[in-house]
Amino acid sequence: MSTRFTDPNIKRKREVLNTHLEAHHEQLDCPPLSLVEFNLTGLCNRTCEFCPRVDPEVFPNVDEEITLELYEKILEDLRAVRFDGTILFSAFGEPLLHHRVEDLLRATRERCPQARVEIVTNGDTLTAAKVVALFEAGLTVLAISMYDGPEQIETFSTMRREAGIDESNVILRKRYLPPEEHYGITLSNRAGTLTMEALGIRALDEPLTRPCHYPFYQFLVDHDGKVLLCPHDWGKQLVLGDLNEKSVADIWNSLLLKRTRLGLAEGDRDFSPCRECDVDGTRMGKSHFVDWLEYYNAQHR
């Protein structure tokens, strides 16, 4: 199998996570939640060969989206713990297909004014006016995945300049690279839901035996309010809780997440979705990982 491409954006995200952990105040009686990722909608307007959506039987388009009422409830949970980490609109769909994305941004800025808010988009619906509206509503960083070719660099750079947005707040990600360069992304088998034999992407015969840091610093909120273990669980196999019924704090410091974290700390991935997953989950979150283990050890003293 060829060496996999590593997205340079990982370094930036690692630095953001570490900065939050170093500066965090006592949000909860446990290490902080630094990243909340939202899957705003079940829709995407593209079908990429390195995405499970390439097979609609595996991951079909679903015309559903998170309601403003549910999103505001989750924000109240986050406000209760003085959340000042990152809120990310990305996950399994195209965030800008949500009909009220600007309302979601305004609600975020009102209830969690110190939070960092990022959107990852394919950019297909963007105009200079749309970029202005997103940042005026409260966006911090706009990451645009360019799938069509290098000519998109000038297209989106011009759009940014016309919108009057600083270059540091708009990230252009090269996703148009050829297969032998892994399309410019850090490829994975999406917890066993994606197969690309030519690139060595397939479900595992045996689970990996190495730690994973994802659930030590983040979780993912689906459009129906269910909390998933991480953004690689495209099969939605492990639901940590339902934010229609529970609070963010209850789920973040739950017994289920404790058992999952401790298992992953020992390199035990023999459960779904981790059993089939080939992700190197140690690229980010090491400091969070260490803090959680110290926290759990202190509980037994």
Side-chain angles (χ1 to χ4, degrees):
M1 187 176 93
S2 60
T3 301
R4 295 189 187 177
F5 176 90
T6 299
D7 187 346
N9 194 49
I10 288 176
K11 180 178 183 293
R12 181 189 70 86
K13 292 173 67 175
R14 184 191 303 122
E15 291 172 352
V16 170
L17 289 171
N18 289 342
T19 298
H20 179 251
L21 182 62
E22 291 168 3
H24 89 279
H25 45 265
E26 291 299 323
Q27 298 170 281
L28 301 167
D29 186 25
C30 63
L33 173 63
S34 288
L35 171 62
V36 182
E37 183 168 355
F38 283 89
N39 185 45
L40 297 184
T41 173
L43 293 174
C44 187
N45 61 304
R46 285 186 177 242
T47 304
C48 302
E49 58 186 306
F50 48 81
C51 172
R53 289 182 183 273
V54 73
D55 184 349
E57 293 187 5
V58 173
F59 203 95
N61 257 6
V62 180
D63 190 7
E64 297 177 357
E65 61 182 27
I66 195 169
T67 65
L68 181 59
E69 293 73 23
L70 173 58
Y71 185 76
E72 289 177 334
K73 181 270 179 191
I74 298 169
L75 289 176
E76 290 297 335
D77 288 350
L78 292 171
R79 177 155 67 174
V81 297
R82 303 191 302 279
F83 181 78
D84 57 3
T86 298
I87 291 175
L88 173 63
F89 296 169
S90 182
F92 313 135
E94 168 50 52
L96 296 188
L97 294 182
H98 192 287
H99 293 90
R100 303 186 67 178
V101 66
E102 291 161 34
D103 289 334
L104 300 181
L105 289 170
R106 280 188 282 269
T108 306
R109 193 53 62 209
E110 177 184 346
R111 290 168 174 80
C112 298
Q114 302 304 313
R116 178 186 183 90
V117 189
E118 300 193 8
I119 290 178
V120 176
T121 175
N122 58 35
D124 289 350
T125 65
L126 283 178
T127 62
K130 181 69 171 179
V131 172
V132 170
L134 291 171
F135 279 93
E136 287 184 344
L139 186 63
T140 309
V141 171
L142 181 65
I144 305 172
S145 298
M146 302 177 295
Y147 296 109
D148 296 337
E151 68 277 3
Q152 289 186 290
I153 296 175
E154 182 56 32
T155 297
F156 289 119
S157 295
T158 300
M159 192 181 296
R160 177 192 60 76
R161 289 192 294 269
E162 290 176 353
I165 304 301
D166 190 82
E167 188 174 5
S168 64
N169 298 106
V170 178
I171 298 170
L172 302 183
R173 311 198 307 173
K174 299 177 181 178
R175 299 299 190 246
Y176 51 76
L177 300 183
E180 57 269 22
E181 295 183 55
H182 292 193
Y183 308 96
I185 71 172
T186 307
L187 286 176
S188 80
N189 66 6
R190 313 296 175 108
T193 60
L194 180 67
T195 299
M196 302 179 72
E197 289 288 352
L199 296 179
I201 305 297
R202 63 179 72 87
L204 302 179
D205 297 325
E206 298 288 339
L208 299 178
T209 55
R210 62 189 184 202
C212 181
H213 298 165
Y214 273 96
F216 292 83
Y217 62 84
Q218 78 154 71
F219 59 48
L220 187 147
V221 182
D222 205 359
H223 56 74
D224 59 1
K226 291 185 173 61
V227 177
L228 304 177
L229 182 65
C230 83
H232 294 279
D233 186 11
W234 283 68
K236 304 182 182 183
Q237 298 178 68
L238 180 53
V239 176
L240 301 172
D242 187 339
L243 287 171
N244 291 283
E245 304 167 356
K246 296 183 178 181
S247 71
V248 165
D250 287 342
I251 294 174
W252 184 240
N253 200 14
S254 66
L255 180 59
L256 175 56
L257 249 180
K258 177 179 181 179
R259 290 172 176 168
T260 303
R261 290 185 183 118
L262 290 177
L264 289 173
E266 296 295 324
D268 178 9
R269 295 196 184 195
D270 196 14
F271 61 93
S272 293
C274 304
R275 182 182 296 114
E276 294 84 11
C277 184
D278 68 348
V279 167
D280 178 359
T282 63
R283 296 174 185 268
M284 297 180 287
K286 181 177 180 180
S287 297
H288 291 75
F289 174 81
V290 170
D291 275 13
W292 269 109
L293 295 186
E294 291 177 351
Y295 171 77
Y296 289 139
N297 286 333
Q299 289 182 318
H300 296 288
R301 291 173 188 164

